[in-house]
Amino acid sequence: MQTLLLWLFYLSSFYAFIPGILTRIFGFRVFRRGTGTNEFALTFDDGPDPLYTPRLLDLLKQYDMKATFFLVGSHAEKHPEVVKRIHHEGHLIGIHNYVHKSNWLMRPVTVRKQVKRTDDIIYTITGERSGYYRPPWGIVNLFDFAKNTGCRIILWSSMFNDWRSKIGADKLTQRMLAKLRGGEVMLLHDCGTTMGANPDAPEQMLIALERVLNAAEQKGMRSIRIDDMMAKESKAKARKLSPLKRVMVSLWLLWEKVFHAVFALETVSPSDPMLHFRKRPFAGKTVVMEDGSRLEKGDEVLELHFDNKKLFEIGSRSRSEVQLAIKMIRAVQNDLPSLANMVLERPEFKDVKGLYAVTMISRGPEQFGFHVMDLPRGLFASSTRLYLKLLLSVIHPKGQARLKEGSQMMEPKMLMMPVDVLIERYAEKKTQVQPPKEEPQQLQQEQMGDLAVASASQGM
């Protein structure tokens, strides 16, 4: 009997207590706090409540603040009009199980069903699914670590016992004001009908919250949704290089110098390098472009390579993908006219038939005059795909995260431009290059970010 009890203790510790310690103390595999100085996150559990939630929404609207509501599915099912209003007024909706029951007391399959049922209710009401989950009392089990729910687990950095009415509005206000700072994720409750809560407790919470929102407004602070806070956190981390990332970038840029020396690459604008190139015979199969131009095996081409140091610097300084895209457009525009003049003026380029590069993008370069074509399948395509994905993870400001987005775009493509098009569009003696009219709209943001790693270090 003693041995059985001991085994039950070990099992329960492994299933529940240890995961609880890892999440609540160390923040393992959960989001519980952001960064920044002027933004915090208000989160509300256990609703919606037909009396208190509409009053809360009125208060948030008055101060132009956004919040995140973790809904109990059975409550949402009874009050769809309140759920619809939460969604309509721009707040984020998360899941708080179908019934307010601890995950320690449920099997993994039961937790998963609770989350799915609640998500289905939210989808039926709002037309959108939720990818955010807060387990009741913040209690997780072992299988929640394995993404049993399929959602991102959200906890908190401060809570105030506001589910008890005896705390009173004054003491609650003091506690909240003490935690009013950037990056804070505040846990509050807009419903008092769950086990252990007082039915009238949200009344005290609303009084205290109005005072806190007024103080936040005076300090120039605002409450934002959890997904917005997470997005800002992700961008901040992307701009901060870890020691390992610094080493990777340094080694990669060293390799690029060696590659340039071995293959004698020339630089279009040495004072501000962006495009590098080399003349070489085209080694692929015959390519027929949309305008009827043909590129045969053995034809002379200029193989383009982008300057990865410059691209990394652009990515590191860019505050967004749009800004990165615009900087990329300007950098390419600056170099193509100089390259066109080189082709016109230098005798060794008189037999060049066109420009050639390998890229990860699927559209965008067309506005520069390039034709985008699939890379023929084979060993070269496979090795190029591997190389460019590795380069993308090192150079792109979003790093590995970019590899998990838009997988349909992550295929190497050939960029081709007939030399006549290069000269006609870009040579100063012919036609000056005109900036695209809709830079950010025409170039999809992630795709222009991928242009930063467009050319492979192998030839056809």
Side-chain angles (χ1 to χ4, degrees):
M1 184 65 179
Q2 196 173 26
T3 303
L4 178 60
L5 290 175
L6 187 62
W7 274 107
L8 287 174
F9 173 76
Y10 287 148
L11 183 61
S12 62
S13 296
F14 189 61
Y15 182 75
F17 294 116
I18 293 176
I21 291 172
L22 290 175
T23 55
R24 298 290 288 275
I25 297 178
F26 300 104
F28 181 67
R29 287 201 173 182
V30 299
F31 181 82
R32 59 177 184 167
R33 183 177 178 80
T35 57
T37 56
N38 298 318
E39 295 170 328
F40 61 101
L42 291 171
T43 67
F44 299 92
D45 288 5
D46 299 357
D49 183 275
L51 173 62
Y52 294 113
T53 306
R55 290 173 58 187
L56 170 59
L57 291 170
D58 291 341
L59 187 59
L60 293 171
K61 188 175 183 179
Q62 177 184 341
Y63 285 91
D64 193 24
M65 303 285 186
K66 300 301 178 185
T68 301
F69 290 79
F70 291 97
L71 305 183
V72 174
S74 57
H75 295 173
E77 201 169 35
K78 294 176 184 177
H79 308 291
E81 72 288 348
V82 182
V83 178
K84 190 173 294 185
R85 182 181 169 188
I86 293 172
H87 174 70
H88 178 72
E89 294 187 4
H91 304 288
L92 181 65
I93 296 178
I95 298 168
H96 202 48
N97 282 354
Y98 181 76
V99 294
H100 200 278
K101 186 177 180 180
S102 170
N103 287 12
W104 285 1
L105 304 177
M106 295 187 288
R107 295 178 301 159
V109 65
T110 305
V111 174
R112 189 163 61 247
K113 288 179 179 178
Q114 289 256 333
V115 172
K116 185 180 185 308
R117 185 175 181 182
T118 305
D119 190 36
D120 288 343
I121 292 169
I122 294 170
Y123 179 75
T124 300
I125 298 171
T126 67
E128 292 185 11
R129 295 197 175 274
S130 175
Y132 303 92
Y133 174 57
R134 175 176 284 168
W137 295 290
I139 295 173
V140 298
N141 61 46
L142 178 65
F143 292 92
D144 291 329
F145 280 169
K147 296 186 177 179
N148 176 53
T149 64
C151 299
R152 181 68 187 271
I153 299 176
I154 309 297
L155 295 185
W156 58 85
S157 57
S158 59
M159 64 177 179
F160 312 98
N161 294 337
D162 66 306
W163 58 88
R164 293 287 192 183
S165 56
K166 67 178 182 180
I167 187 176
D170 292 341
K171 186 178 290 186
L172 185 56
T173 301
Q174 292 175 3
R175 291 182 179 182
M176 292 179 66
L177 288 175
K179 294 291 186 178
L180 184 60
R181 54 197 177 200
E184 200 74 20
V185 177
M186 296 183 175
L187 167 61
L188 296 165
H189 300 78
D190 58 328
C191 180
T193 62
T194 54
M195 185 179 68
N198 299 134
D200 60 342
E203 183 73 44
Q204 303 300 311
M205 183 274 293
L206 289 173
I207 296 172
L209 181 61
E210 182 168 13
R211 299 169 181 171
V212 171
L213 292 181
N214 184 57
E217 187 177 62
Q218 292 178 6
K219 292 181 178 181
M221 300 181 68
R222 65 190 185 101
S223 173
I224 62 175
R225 296 164 32 140
I226 280 291
D227 56 345
D228 291 333
M229 179 174 281
M230 292 174 66
K232 291 175 182 294
E233 181 84 358
S234 178
K235 289 179 180 179
K237 288 182 178 178
R239 290 195 291 266
K240 294 179 181 178
L241 292 183
S242 66
L244 177 59
K245 185 70 176 281
R246 290 193 189 98
V247 172
M248 291 175 65
V249 171
S250 298
L251 290 176
W252 205 276
L253 296 180
L254 177 62
W255 152 249
E256 183 174 73
K257 289 183 179 180
V258 173
F259 179 82
H260 284 200
V262 171
F263 292 97
L265 294 189
E266 295 188 56
T267 303
V268 176
S269 303
S271 61
D272 187 20
M274 181 63 192
L275 289 177
H276 306 278
F277 66 94
R278 61 169 173 162
K279 188 180 79 166
R280 57 164 298 175
F282 182 64
K285 296 180 180 179
T286 299
V287 174
V288 180
M289 287 171 275
E290 295 176 3
D291 63 353
S293 303
R294 295 172 64 88
L295 191 63
E296 308 279 357
K297 183 176 181 179
D299 285 344
E300 295 290 336
V301 294
L302 294 184
E303 182 183 87
L304 299 181
H305 298 264
F306 292 84
D307 189 278
N308 290 324
K309 182 178 180 181
K310 176 72 171 291
L311 298 170
F312 179 75
E313 291 172 351
I314 291 176
S316 300
R317 293 194 303 265
S318 298
R319 294 187 298 271
S320 68
E321 296 277 353
V322 171
Q323 189 180 58
L324 186 148
I326 294 173
K327 290 180 179 179
M328 282 293 306
I329 291 170
R330 291 172 179 167
V332 173
Q333 286 176 340
N334 288 339
D335 269 8
L336 285 177
S338 298
L339 183 60
N341 289 330
M342 286 183 183
V343 172
L344 274 178
E345 297 167 359
R346 292 172 53 171
E348 65 268 31
F349 294 154
K350 63 182 179 66
D351 295 326
V352 168
K353 294 292 185 67
L355 306 181
Y356 159 80
V358 178
T359 177
M360 276 288 193
I361 58 176
S362 59
R363 71 176 80 96
E366 293 93 340
Q367 64 176 303
F368 295 113
F370 286 101
H371 298 273
V372 181
M373 289 162 284
D374 291 331
L375 199 62
R377 293 186 177 183
L379 179 61
F380 175 75
S382 300
S383 61
T384 300
R385 184 182 302 109
L386 178 63
Y387 170 83
L388 289 179
K389 285 188 176 183
L390 179 59
L391 180 57
L392 184 62
S393 69
V394 174
I395 298 298
H396 197 281
K398 292 173 69 175
Q400 287 286 340
R402 181 62 187 96
L403 299 180
K404 301 174 184 178
E405 303 172 1
S407 58
Q408 72 277 10
M409 303 176 192
M410 301 298 294
E411 290 296 325
K413 302 284 185 178
M414 287 195 302
L415 295 186
M416 310 291 297
M417 181 192 294
V419 71
D420 292 341
V421 173
L422 173 71
I423 294 172
E424 181 64 28
R425 292 188 60 165
Y426 296 102
E428 294 176 359
K429 298 178 182 178
K430 296 292 181 180
T431 304
Q432 295 290 332
V433 59
Q434 297 298 320
K437 294 181 180 179
E438 299 179 352
E439 294 173 343
Q441 291 78 11
Q442 287 184 336
L443 291 174
Q444 293 186 1
Q445 297 171 11
E446 286 88 354
Q447 292 170 338
M448 260 325 279
D450 296 344
L451 182 57
V453 290
S455 64
S457 293
Q458 306 107 309
M460 283 292 288

